[in-house]
Amino acid sequence: MNFRYICSALALSATLLTACSGKKAEEKKAAEKKIRTKEDDKADSLLLVYNPQKGDKWIADFVDNLHKKYGFNGNMLVAKDGKILYEKAIGWADYLHRDSLTINSEFELASITKTFTGTAIMQLVEAGKLSLNDNVKKFFPNFPYEDITVKLLLSHRSGMMNYVYFIDDIWRKEKRNMKKGVTNQEVMDVIAERKPNPYTKPDNRFHYNNSNFMVLGAIIEKVTGQRYSQYMMEHVFKPAGLKHTHVYSTTEYEKIPVDVVGHDRTWRYSVAQNFLDGPVGDKGIYSTVHDLVLFDKYLKNGRLLTQKSLDSAYTGHNKPVNGHFNYGYGWRMFDGEKMDKVVYHTGWWHGFRHIYVRDLNKNIVIVFLGNLTNGSLMHLDDLYKHFDMPIIRKGAYHGNGSLPGSDED
């Protein structure tokens, strides 16, 4: 009896030891996969090579017309199959001081930041540090809403109000410091204290708003014990070789250290950063057109996330808008039978307006980063048609979906 017991115990121990060793080996392999090599740097340099003399003439004419006729001011790039077809910096970085844009100018990505935040959350899920079904109260016990999970935040189904308007109203009425940035934690504290009415019940419907990803930014900081900026640099930017991508918050910088300024649609004034440029996760990442090409590369090759996580992030978790448009985990998307799978995100914040499009089937990346908030980016249909891509504009299709006003940046 004792002998049998001892044998069973030894067998169990051996099994556990093998399992632990296997898990450690997998973790080590995953960690090593994220370490950059000289070969990575060389390959990235080749990817970003561009000869203006060999730029795509059709795209050049299209962009020239977009600038002259519709007023696009900013940086743009189109790449296919790992090759840049055309890129250009057009216009002013700062109209007041007549500073011109360069191709390496860093723009506040606005809501394109959400694609990075979604990536970070999925990394933490892979690492077992949180679950998609975790309740926000697990991390913030005084959070005033019930039944809101990480998954609902990622897919904009939490039903929360938009903190931007809520906080702005309080700061103005109470004459608080409008220049000093507020942190994600401070916003969470105000929400816990004031308990603003939610927009709707959790998981009732899709309602896009910045609160979802501001809360996710707060969760990243709580789970990792790092500032959002530190985590992103260590686990996303550096592994992907994004050398011109940073998180800039007015809680960490009195003046954001970039030269690109957001402008209103008529150049009448520059949009100054204020306390609302403090919270991050929903916005706050600054980057370049080249680094967004690299982000696409390292998402596709498994450096940042497993294919299982990407499949989950690229699955629509809401009712399609106009038959084709949906939202996954930090990504907008276009889906259709016998049509390309496209994931993308738009951005609109404090004088910046952008679109970042990734056609996963044709391996095309289209980036327009603008710092003049006019409607120029509503006129890209011919560019999509030129590449036989779906037109990424909801008004080009008909069908059922979310109510008007529920899908804004």
Side-chain angles (χ1 to χ4, degrees):
M1 183 80 176
N2 286 340
F3 179 72
R4 268 198 210 161
Y5 177 79
I6 291 169
C7 288
S8 298
L10 287 172
L12 180 60
S13 298
T15 302
L16 290 173
L17 185 62
T18 301
C20 289
S21 299
K23 186 177 180 182
K24 285 183 179 179
E26 286 180 11
E27 290 175 350
K28 184 180 179 182
K29 187 177 180 181
E32 288 175 349
K33 193 177 181 182
K34 294 182 179 179
I35 297 174
R36 288 187 63 81
T37 65
K38 290 182 179 179
E39 286 71 26
D40 288 329
D41 292 333
K42 184 177 180 181
D44 290 352
S45 296
L46 291 173
L47 171 60
L48 300 178
V49 166
Y50 174 70
N51 183 350
Q53 304 302 319
K54 296 182 179 180
D56 187 294
K57 182 67 167 58
W58 188 93
I59 303 176
D61 291 341
F62 173 85
V63 172
D64 187 54
N65 182 66
L66 192 70
H67 171 61
K68 291 179 179 177
K69 187 175 180 180
Y70 298 108
F72 174 71
N73 187 96
N75 287 5
M76 63 74 56
L77 177 151
V78 178
K80 179 174 171 57
D81 295 329
K83 179 184 177 182
I84 296 175
L85 303 181
Y86 189 75
E87 66 179 32
K88 191 169 185 180
I90 309 164
W92 304 109
D94 183 346
Y95 181 76
L96 180 64
H97 296 96
R98 297 301 193 273
D99 291 335
S100 297
L101 290 164
T102 70
I103 203 64
N104 289 319
S105 292
E106 289 186 31
F107 289 71
E108 153 67 275
L109 292 185
S111 286
I112 293 176
T113 294
K114 292 178 173 69
T115 67
F116 287 88
T117 301
T119 298
I121 289 291
M122 296 307 290
Q123 285 182 339
L124 294 172
V125 170
E126 287 183 2
K129 295 184 177 180
L130 57 80
S131 163
L132 291 175
N133 294 317
D134 280 343
N135 194 300
V136 176
K137 284 180 173 290
K138 176 179 177 179
F139 313 104
F140 299 95
N142 60 350
F143 189 65
Y145 311 114
E146 301 292 336
D147 303 322
I148 295 181
T149 63
V150 170
K151 179 178 179 178
L152 296 183
L153 295 171
L154 281 169
S155 53
H156 291 289
R157 297 186 64 83
S158 72
M160 289 181 68
M161 78 304 152
N162 194 327
Y163 85 91
V164 172
Y165 306 123
F166 173 68
I167 293 291
D168 185 64
D169 186 57
I170 291 174
W171 258 242
R172 291 180 187 282
K173 286 180 178 178
E174 299 182 3
K175 294 182 170 53
R176 299 194 186 190
N177 188 337
M178 304 284 279
K179 291 183 178 180
K180 183 182 178 183
V182 293
T183 65
N184 290 54
Q185 180 62 59
E186 287 172 327
V187 175
M188 296 295 286
D189 290 341
V190 172
I191 290 173
E193 177 192 340
R194 303 294 178 100
K195 301 177 178 59
N197 291 328
Y199 179 80
T200 187
K201 294 178 181 178
D203 207 20
N204 181 47
R205 54 164 291 196
F206 173 76
H207 176 64
Y208 182 97
N209 83 75
N210 287 318
S211 293
N212 296 303
F213 280 73
M214 181 282 297
V215 174
L216 289 172
I219 289 173
I220 289 170
E221 294 187 329
K222 180 61 69 78
V223 168
T224 65
Q226 295 179 297
R227 293 196 303 273
Y228 177 85
S229 58
Q230 293 173 313
Y231 180 87
M232 298 306 294
M233 181 59 73
E234 200 174 306
H235 297 273
V236 181
F237 304 161
K238 283 187 176 179
L242 311 186
K243 298 175 181 177
H244 303 285
T245 302
H246 306 86
V247 176
Y248 290 133
S249 163
T250 49
T251 63
E252 296 185 44
Y253 296 87
E254 187 174 337
K255 183 183 184 304
I256 304 298
V258 297
D259 298 324
V260 184
V261 176
H263 302 85
D264 83 318
R265 66 180 62 242
T266 61
W267 296 112
R268 283 181 301 182
Y269 64 89
S270 302
V271 182
Q273 286 99 8
N274 62 17
F275 67 106
L276 288 172
D277 291 283
V280 292
D282 55 325
K283 53 182 167 39
I285 291 180
Y286 287 66
S287 190
T288 67
V289 290
H290 283 171
D291 274 11
L292 288 177
V293 171
L294 293 178
F295 185 43
D296 167 78
K297 170 185 173 178
Y298 285 99
L299 282 169
K300 285 176 178 172
N301 73 4
R303 170 66 58 84
L304 298 176
L305 289 173
T306 65
Q307 190 59 49
K308 181 181 178 182
S309 293
L310 289 174
D311 289 343
S312 182
Y314 300 158
T315 297
H317 298 284
N318 297 284
K319 185 178 180 180
V321 177
N322 289 2
H324 295 288
F325 295 89
N326 213 317
Y327 203 97
Y329 294 154
W331 290 97
R332 297 180 182 274
M333 66 196 59
F334 179 99
D335 243 336
E337 189 177 350
K338 296 181 181 179
M339 303 179 82
D340 289 3
K341 174 83 170 186
V342 179
V343 295
Y344 72 103
H345 218 291
T346 51
W348 189 356
W349 177 256
H350 281 186
F352 292 94
R353 193 157 191 184
H354 323 303
I355 189 165
Y356 176 40
V357 179
R358 304 168 59 221
D359 187 317
L360 301 181
N361 293 95
K362 289 191 171 67
N363 199 19
I364 295 173
V365 179
I366 296 175
V367 189
F368 281 84
L369 302 181
N371 63 327
L372 179 64
T373 52
N374 53 32
S376 59
L377 297 185
M378 296 299 291
H379 301 279
L380 303 181
D381 291 16
D382 287 343
L383 180 62
Y384 300 130
K385 291 176 184 176
H386 179 70
F387 288 101
D388 195 27
M389 291 172 57
I391 295 172
I392 307 305
R393 183 173 58 80
K394 293 185 180 68
Y397 304 85
H398 299 286
N400 295 323
S402 62
L403 298 175
S406 67
D407 190 26
E408 302 171 354
D409 272 314

